[in-house]
């Protein structure tokens, strides 16, 4: 069993780390404080192939594997978790989805600019009354000639404000339950499609989270992904991959908090010694590092299964469950190590703590991950 990275993966990691340290990290505090979308950074990331890491070059991507993808998400999120999630949604829930379920024409038309980072995508599944219960959608897509007509509201849509392309899940008939859900590609500017509200959030404040409204929004039939009624499966398969990305985001946030804690513990002197000399602090640092490594290994395992073409739903959920809870634990302890300084905005750990929380919620709460894992265990 080889747990090491290949030379190509190491080179890729070094490239992304260098970029993240030079271009992403210096902007992270302002992106958070001003809730500012990092447009310039996202443009540069597109040029580096980071907006479509695992998409083949012929469709505008970097042609790398899922391990490279999680490496990239960890490095970017270590620098700025807002930038990490913008990237993760575009890669996992938009580009991978179109690559897997789109026809050739949809790939040429929509995937290439998205994977190149020339356009940005969002994934519209959640609704005001359908969060964890994603099969119970109310947004309707009624067939009318060569169009579908969308009506209803979508909630908590990451990238909702900036996205050029929205993947919208809607039902062709609620009586069909999840078998009525269909996936459509909707372009920004389509009449009847509007951003209703942008949420003000605890963390990942540089990414937009929006409510979207569809009113008599006519979408050409050629924008249907897969078959009518295949949308729920498309959403679930895409979330399987997305959850590996969020696991990597959580690992990146936790690593940032550990690294800040190490630096602080070496420099902060109390009772005549750096606090790193006290076992109380050393034990915390040791537990933080151990839990982060365990979460990363679970994340790499899920990514590696995906690269081999093996099933990875359970392992992706395990990675997300573990990494998000580790991120919350590590960032809480980081604030404890900093003491009062951890609670003020002059230091980065309070941002890491706020950013970590959402990893236990989006792309399936920790409770949903436990349900998925238990479902696989019990058969
Ligand atoms: N892959 C393929 N198919 C799958 C699947 C998977 N991972 N999971 C379920 N399915 C299929 C089942 O096989 C079943 O198929 P059949 O109809 O052919 O039998 C069908 O889907 C229904 O499955 P379930 O009965 O298990 O469905 P359910 O209604 O009980 O829901 C659930 C299961 C796991 C709870 C699911 O609803 C779920 O994942 N909920 C959480 C939703 C979520 O993660 N939302 C995140 C929003 S997106 C987001 O956060 C993005 C953002 O912008 C940040």
């Amino acid at each position: 069993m080889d747990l090491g990275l290949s030379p190509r993966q190491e080179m890729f990691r070094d490239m992304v780390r260098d970029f993240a340290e030079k271009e992403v990290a210096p902007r992270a505090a302002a992106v958070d404080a001003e809730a500012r979308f990092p447009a310039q950074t996202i443009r540069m990331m597109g040029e580096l192939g980071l907006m479509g890491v695992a998409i083949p070059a012929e469709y505008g991507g970097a042609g790398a594997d899922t391990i490279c993808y999680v490496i990239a998400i960890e490095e970017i999120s270590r620098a700025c978790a807002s930038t990490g999630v913008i990237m993760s949604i575009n890669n996992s829930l938009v580009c991978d989805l179109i690559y897997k379920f789109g026809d050739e024409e949809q790939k040429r038309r929509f995937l290439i600019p998205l994977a190149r980072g020339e356009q940005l995508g969002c994934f519209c599944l959640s609704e005001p009354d359908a969060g964890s219960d994603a099969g119970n959608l109310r947004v309707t897509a009624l067939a009318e000639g060569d169009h579908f007509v969308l009506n209803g509201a979508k909630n908590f849509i990451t990238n909702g404000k900036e996205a050029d392309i929205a993947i919208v899940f809607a039902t062709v008939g609620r009586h069909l339950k999840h078998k009525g859900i269909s996936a459509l590609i909707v372009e920004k500017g389509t009449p009847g499609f509007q951003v209703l509200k942008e949420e003000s959030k605890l963390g990942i404040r540089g990414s937009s989270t929006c409510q979207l409204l569809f009113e008599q929004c006519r979408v050409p039939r050629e924008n249907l992904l897969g078959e009518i009624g295949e949308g729920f499966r498309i959403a679930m398969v895409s979330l399987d991959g997305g959850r590996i990305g969020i696991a990597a985001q959580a690992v990146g946030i936790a690593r940032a908090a550990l690294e800040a804690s190490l630096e602080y513990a070496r420099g902060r002197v109390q009772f005549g010694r750096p606090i790193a000399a006290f076992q109380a602090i050393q034990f915390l640092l040791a537990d933080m590092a151990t839990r982060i490594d365990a979460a990363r290994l679970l994340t790499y395992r899920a990514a590696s299964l995906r690269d081999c073409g093996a099933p990875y739903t359970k392992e992706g959920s395990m990675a997300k469950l573990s990494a998000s809870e580790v991120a919350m634990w590590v960032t809480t302890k980081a604030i404890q190590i900093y003491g009062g300084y951890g609670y003020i905005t002059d230091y980065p750990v309070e941002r890491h703590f706020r950013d970590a929380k959402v990893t236990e919620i989006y792309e399936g709460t920790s409770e949903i991950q436990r349900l998925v894992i238990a479902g696989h265990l019990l058969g």
Side-chain angles (χ1 to χ4, degrees):
M1 188 178 195
D2 184 4
L3 293 177
L5 299 179
S6 71
R8 185 180 176 203
Q9 289 162 344
E10 275 184 15
M11 238 169 64
F12 190 82
R13 180 199 58 201
D14 294 346
M15 180 277 284
V16 184
R17 187 173 293 174
D18 186 55
F19 169 77
E21 286 175 353
K22 283 198 184 112
E23 303 291 346
V24 186
R27 298 181 168 93
V31 159
D32 171 66
E34 296 160 24
R36 187 177 75 209
F37 181 81
Q40 192 191 341
T41 311
I42 297 296
R43 250 193 318 279
M44 287 191 275
M45 284 165 60
E47 284 158 18
L48 290 175
L50 297 180
M51 298 308 282
V53 176
I55 301 297
E58 63 167 314
Y59 293 116
D65 58 15
T66 314
I67 295 283
C68 282
Y69 171 56
V70 295
I71 287 171
I73 293 276
E74 178 184 332
E75 294 300 331
I76 297 291
S77 302
R78 168 188 172 231
C80 172
S82 294
T83 309
V85 71
I86 296 164
M87 170 189 173
S88 170
I89 298 290
N90 196 73
N91 273 269
S92 299
L93 296 186
V94 182
C95 287
D96 281 344
L97 185 156
I98 300 177
Y99 179 60
K100 215 172 250 154
F101 297 101
D103 59 29
E104 192 54 30
E105 167 62 22
Q106 290 168 343
K107 287 183 200 169
R108 297 259 155 236
R109 194 162 150 218
F110 300 112
L111 177 55
I112 293 175
L114 284 163
R116 283 184 183 153
E118 294 161 0
Q119 293 197 334
L120 190 70
C122 65
F123 176 88
C124 310
L125 180 66
S126 301
E127 297 180 0
D129 295 310
S132 291
D133 187 7
N136 190 28
L137 300 186
R138 283 165 196 235
V139 171
T140 51
L142 299 185
E144 222 181 79
D146 54 0
H147 282 75
F148 288 94
V149 182
L150 287 177
N151 277 293
K154 290 287 177 185
N155 232 19
F156 300 134
I157 307 304
T158 307
N159 295 347
K161 192 166 98 185
E162 301 80 13
D164 305 283
I165 298 293
I167 308 292
V168 180
F169 296 88
T171 178
V172 296
R174 285 197 73 201
H175 62 285
L176 297 169
K177 309 235 181 236
H178 71 273
K179 291 187 193 299
I181 296 174
S182 306
L184 291 162
I185 302 174
V186 185
E187 293 178 79
K188 187 182 200 160
T190 306
F193 170 19
Q194 58 166 311
V195 177
L196 202 59
K197 178 182 172 217
E198 184 180 353
E199 310 292 352
S200 169
K201 304 192 296 287
L202 176 72
I204 55 156
R205 289 168 46 79
S207 70
S208 67
T209 301
C210 302
Q211 188 170 68
L212 306 181
L213 185 66
F214 299 91
E215 283 178 311
Q216 291 298 107
C217 175
R218 293 172 66 79
V219 181
R221 197 172 258 271
E222 69 216 30
N223 287 15
L224 176 72
L225 283 153
E227 304 292 328
I228 292 178
E230 205 193 346
F232 191 74
R233 191 177 77 83
I234 294 177
M236 290 299 115
V237 169
S238 304
L239 281 166
D240 284 349
R243 287 167 183 165
I244 306 178
I246 300 304
Q249 184 199 26
V251 171
I253 296 169
R255 195 173 120 219
L258 169 63
E259 289 169 356
S261 301
L262 285 166
E263 192 187 326
Y264 185 80
R266 287 192 186 104
R268 171 76 170 162
V269 174
Q270 290 291 282
F271 304 104
R273 287 193 287 169
I275 61 170
F278 296 108
Q279 275 193 344
I281 301 296
Q282 290 174 5
F283 286 2
L284 277 180
L285 295 170
D287 285 348
M288 288 158 97
T290 305
R291 292 186 192 198
I292 292 169
D293 272 15
R296 184 185 296 106
L297 285 170
L298 282 175
T299 306
Y300 280 10
R301 179 182 68 165
S304 154
L305 287 170
R306 188 175 188 274
D307 284 334
C308 297
Y312 60 92
T313 301
K314 180 186 75 185
E315 290 77 7
S317 283
M318 285 176 161
K320 181 183 183 285
L321 173 63
S322 162
S324 59
E325 294 193 345
V326 164
M328 213 46 230
W329 186 85
V330 167
T331 55
T332 306
K333 296 304 178 196
I335 292 183
Q336 199 64 25
I337 291 172
Y338 271 71
Y341 291 107
Y343 202 67
I344 63 176
T345 56
D346 292 4
Y347 293 89
V349 287
E350 61 83 32
R351 168 165 57 88
H352 301 321
F353 172 81
R354 289 184 289 103
D355 286 342
K357 182 60 204 171
V358 76
T359 65
E360 293 183 320
I361 298 172
Y362 58 22
E363 299 203 26
T365 60
S366 294
E367 291 71 24
I368 290 293
Q369 307 314 322
R370 288 188 167 91
L371 278 183
V372 171
I373 296 162
H376 278 78
L377 294 177
L378 296 166

